[in-house]
Amino acid sequence: MTQQDYLSGFGNELASEDPRCPGSLPEGQNNPQVCPYGLYAEQLSGSAFTCPRPTNKRSWLYRIIPSVKHKPFTKASCGDLTENWNEVEPDPNQLRWLPFAIPKSTEKKVDFVAGLHTVCGAGDAKSRNGIGIHVYTCNTSMVDSCFNNSDGDFLIVPQQGEILITTEFGKMMVEPNEICVIQQGMRFSVDVFGETRGYILEVYGAHFELPDLGPIGANGLANPRDFLCPVAWYEDRKVSTGYTVINKYQGKLFACQQDFSPFNVVAWHGNYTPYKYNLKNFMVINCVAFDHADPSIFTVLTAKSTRPGVAIADFVIFPPRWGVADHTFRPPYYHRNCMSEFMGLIKGHYEAKEEGFQPGGASLHSIMTPHGPDADCFEKNSTAELSPERVAEGTMAFMFESSFSMAVTKWGLQTCQKLDKSYYQCWEPLRSHFNPNWKPSTQ
């Protein structure tokens, strides 16, 4: 798919109609008595009706059959998807996972929904306040089924394998080093092209937005025009054997049957859409004098809480950039944080831990758990010549940072069998450099 297949702009008021049905968007009103082509008008609301205009989110969909036509929902297997944060005892240790295993297609066919595994999270979907962090590991496309998340937004970070996401708004091809956001209530299906893996940040009760730039000014970080939304595409397809709609609702999965494809939206308009973004377009801000700036300068998207400056979750990346700071230990410093930090690696080697932290793996440094560069990184960078250097070339690490104290699931601690129990050893070689007779240089 090319860029011509997308509309650009973050949170814009957009309109699209499938070119096979010109004039399918009603003119001058949202809900005419009879819609063009005999379509049904259906509104998808992503905010309360009375939200202030800057935060009011809704789109109008003009579809062949409305989504209300389906058999009753019944309980479905949740697999390793959960919102039970009390399965196991809390663990405040530094945690690191080796790359999560992808099932072999020759052994078992696993699609996107069956391949969802919850690693950690906090809060409650019923009270609309919290997050979940999941990984997906799959090897086959969804067939005559779609997924609908009534609990919150999915920010999807592919790590291995491109995914073709069909939504009610159209199609998006999302490759590693790109991300996409499927907002609450939007139905989608995922096609894969081999063994596929990635990460998901789910937020309840808030939508992702671009961070405020403050003193940075009008430009920088992720630019609004680089966010792409799909264009209208529909299929008028009867499914006599039954089409399955899988609904994540209050942390559980439910399924219903209908006899038609849900991707029957001929035209739509509004500001509540799925979207994707290529991380290579991020305009990096960095320190050019001394010291190490906070990772907030690398925030792509944020889901704000009701407390100013405190996020339910931030999506932060560590892209290729120049390091030029003088008189400075350039990698991330040793740190204890009132936020939880979940990190993943899409490709390459993360600068603070070049060994052990691998693409497709992850780490979690919980609230106030100390963390920082391993011993090798500290020794090397304490004596390095401070010339301008490229940092993270060929690498893309990211962080899901949250003000919630996240609980790790039983799957994350035990079932996945990928927890690296030797992680703490990377700091064991740290030794004292203290010299009570040190004197400042006379030069």
Side-chain angles (χ1 to χ4, degrees):
M1 299 180 77
T2 65
Q3 188 153 324
Q4 285 73 23
D5 297 310
Y6 298 94
L7 303 168
S8 72
F10 186 88
N12 285 6
E13 285 285 342
L14 300 171
S16 182
E17 58 184 28
D18 191 306
R20 290 173 289 177
C21 295
S24 48
L25 277 171
E27 293 186 10
Q29 64 178 124
N30 296 321
N31 188 29
Q33 185 178 24
V34 178
C35 291
Y37 294 92
L39 298 171
Y40 288 88
E42 178 180 293
Q43 183 175 245
L44 179 62
S45 295
S47 66
F49 297 145
T50 52
C51 275
R53 186 176 288 270
T55 58
N56 207 300
K57 295 179 178 293
R58 56 86 187 96
S59 286
W60 280 91
L61 312 177
Y62 300 93
R63 57 195 322 151
I64 297 167
I65 296 290
S67 57
V68 71
K69 183 182 178 182
H70 61 80
K71 303 299 184 185
F73 280 103
T74 57
K75 189 174 181 180
S77 171
C78 294
D80 296 314
L81 195 67
T82 185
E83 197 192 277
N84 181 358
W85 311 126
N86 298 305
E87 292 178 311
V88 290
E89 290 296 308
D91 190 340
N93 288 300
Q94 302 99 342
L95 302 177
R96 182 169 69 187
W97 290 268
L98 301 172
F100 297 103
I102 307 173
K104 300 290 184 184
S105 58
T106 53
E107 299 173 3
K108 185 180 181 182
K109 299 288 188 183
V110 179
D111 67 13
F112 175 82
V113 177
L116 289 171
H117 312 278
T118 305
V119 181
C120 57
D124 175 41
K126 291 190 289 292
S127 61
R128 312 292 299 119
N129 190 32
I131 68 168
I133 292 177
H134 320 281
V135 296
Y136 65 90
T137 54
C138 53
N139 56 39
T140 193
S141 299
M142 297 173 67
V143 178
D144 289 339
S145 65
C146 71
F147 188 76
N148 172 83
N149 187 359
S150 294
D151 291 339
D153 290 9
F154 266 5
L155 189 158
I156 302 174
V157 185
Q159 186 273 319
Q160 178 178 319
E162 61 188 9
I163 54 177
L164 176 61
I165 302 180
T166 302
T167 78
E168 295 169 277
F169 295 78
K171 293 174 177 280
M172 298 188 297
M173 183 72 80
V174 190
E175 302 176 359
N177 217 50
E178 294 183 313
I179 63 166
C180 71
V181 173
I182 310 294
Q183 303 195 75
Q184 181 187 10
M186 297 176 178
R187 295 180 174 180
F188 68 99
S189 184
V190 177
D191 285 356
V192 301
F193 307 91
E195 295 179 358
T196 305
R197 177 172 56 203
Y199 311 84
I200 297 175
L201 171 59
E202 179 183 15
V203 296
Y204 320 138
H207 295 299
F208 290 102
E209 55 188 281
L210 295 174
D212 296 326
L213 294 179
I216 293 174
N219 307 291
L221 308 189
N223 290 311
R225 74 183 182 118
D226 292 324
F227 288 82
L228 303 177
C229 303
V231 296
W233 174 88
Y234 77 90
E235 59 179 8
D236 183 11
R237 184 165 67 93
K238 284 285 186 180
V239 187
S240 58
T241 55
Y243 194 102
T244 304
V245 178
I246 303 167
N247 183 15
K248 182 176 181 291
Y249 177 77
Q250 295 186 4
K252 304 289 186 180
L253 293 186
F254 299 84
C256 73
Q257 297 293 311
Q258 58 190 48
D259 63 359
F260 61 95
S261 167
F263 306 121
N264 62 357
V265 176
V266 176
W268 60 264
H269 77 86
N271 64 353
Y272 190 55
T273 69
Y275 55 88
K276 68 174 229 174
Y277 174 74
N278 194 322
L279 301 181
K280 74 177 183 181
N281 292 325
F282 188 80
M283 194 279 234
V284 181
I285 302 292
N286 205 1
C287 172
V288 295
F290 58 87
D291 281 352
H292 182 100
D294 296 328
S296 48
I297 60 171
F298 301 124
T299 301
V300 180
L301 292 168
T302 184
K304 294 179 179 178
S305 75
T306 56
R307 291 176 288 167
V310 181
I312 292 174
D314 286 330
F315 173 61
V316 178
I317 63 173
F318 301 97
R321 59 199 183 276
W322 281 98
V324 298
D326 291 322
H327 312 295
T328 297
F329 182 79
R330 289 179 178 174
Y333 43 78
Y334 294 103
H335 187 45
R336 289 179 293 164
N337 191 357
C338 65
M339 307 280 275
S340 298
E341 300 180 11
F342 179 94
M343 286 195 63
L345 186 60
I346 298 171
K347 60 181 180 177
H349 298 275
Y350 180 57
E351 59 183 302
K353 296 180 182 67
E354 293 191 1
E355 302 296 331
F357 185 48
Q358 301 173 39
S363 68
L364 175 64
H365 301 134
S366 297
I367 285 176
M368 291 305 174
T369 294
H371 54 281
D374 61 25
D376 288 343
C377 177
F378 178 82
E379 295 296 336
K380 182 174 73 173
N381 285 276
S382 295
T383 57
E385 180 182 349
L386 295 180
S387 57
E389 62 176 339
R390 288 290 289 174
V391 178
E393 195 67 47
T395 290
M396 185 62 76
F398 69 87
M399 180 166 65
F400 299 152
E401 185 175 57
S402 174
S403 58
F404 284 91
S405 183
M406 288 189 283
V408 184
T409 62
K410 183 178 180 180
W411 185 88
L413 286 177
Q414 300 172 14
T415 310
C416 73
Q417 298 184 344
K418 291 298 179 181
L419 192 65
D420 182 0
K421 296 183 180 179
S422 67
Y423 183 29
Y424 74 95
Q425 295 176 3
C426 75
W427 294 288
E428 290 291 287
L430 288 170
R431 58 189 176 87
S432 172
H433 293 276
F434 177 62
N435 177 7
N437 298 313
W438 177 86
K439 296 291 188 296
S441 172
T442 57
Q443 295 181 352

